[in-house]
Amino acid sequence: MPETFKAILVSRDAEKKQSVAITDLTEADLMEGDVTIAVEATTVNYKDGLAISGKAPVIRRWPLVPGIDFAGTVISSSHADWRTGDKVILNGWGVGETHFGAYAERARVKGDWLVPLPQGMSPHGAMAVGTAGYTAMLCVIALERHGIVPDRGPVVVTGAAGGVGSVAVSILSSLGYHVIASTGRSAESPYLTDLGASEVISRDELAQPAKPLAKERWAGGVDAVGSHTLANVLSMTSYGGAVAACGLAGGMDLPASVAPFILRGVCLHGIDSVMAPKTVRMEAWRRIGTDLDLQKLASLSTTIGFDGIIDAAHDIVEGKIRGRVVVDM
């Protein structure tokens, strides 16, 4: 009989009612691809929580193995760039949305979607960074390219106790920025201070409808929330500043004015981690290796086993998780 392995499978019935179950698959069940990987570590991201809980239409193919990122070892490959035994990382490319994802002990994907595991980094360590950390680094790079350096003034990070926010606070503080961390969980203030935040503010300060222009408070920001929060961040950004937007935890809408753009020259950078080209990914992971204090990853992350994924997915959507959740397969 073919060798089986554990997987989480999300299905939908004729009435479009979603169900989630742990099941056994074989490699014959996997989707097309030219590289097969033994998944050693993965994560639970906010998007994964939405997919498993069914609270947003993340999954667009049924049935599907969810999970948008993983690290592991190549088992077999017909792709020119990869050989058996290579250590690799995958983020995005529709994996966990339209293509079988990380929540299985085996994955088959296109070799063009993979990047090498940085030297000196373990699969567990890479997933402590994960898509959230990789996205946070893309945001930092965008701010730098706009000239938002530490001397320009403070930067704000919204959703700061979440996965993207936690890593963004850590990276920015290590680079010398004065970081203002916005969170809805006041109990997480010591955690954010330990990560390097210079100030911690309540998300309530940014949650109400925004003025067209408010008092200038920061030179730039990383926003993982959207909606009124992003509108307020923009309205409080100083002349010539920039904000990198990468999330929608507070909503997909943007009830903002054009005033920050046309009166203060503020720039809004959209950050896409899913389809970013390989050169951009390689640069982000290189910077992660140099600019993220890997010793802080222990405080950024919680480790669970495969059987804890479903519960963690519900917890992350309900705002019960801080930082990163690493799954050791």
Side-chain angles (χ1 to χ4, degrees), residues 71-82:
T73 302
V74 173
I75 298 173
S76 62
S77 171
S78 58
H79 191 282
D81 291 347
W82 307 109

Side-chain angles (χ1 to χ4, degrees), residues 244-292:
C246 63
L248 46 67
M252 290 188 67
D253 60 321
L254 180 56
S257 161
V258 298
F261 309 118
I262 65 174
L263 297 179
R264 288 186 182 160
V266 171
C267 180
L268 177 59
H269 289 277
I271 304 299
D272 167 57
S273 64
V274 175
M275 304 303 290
K278 190 170 183 177
T279 53
V280 173
R281 295 167 183 269
M282 295 287 286
E283 172 64 8
W285 280 102
R286 184 192 69 77
R287 288 286 302 276
I288 286 166
T290 60
D291 296 342
L292 179 61

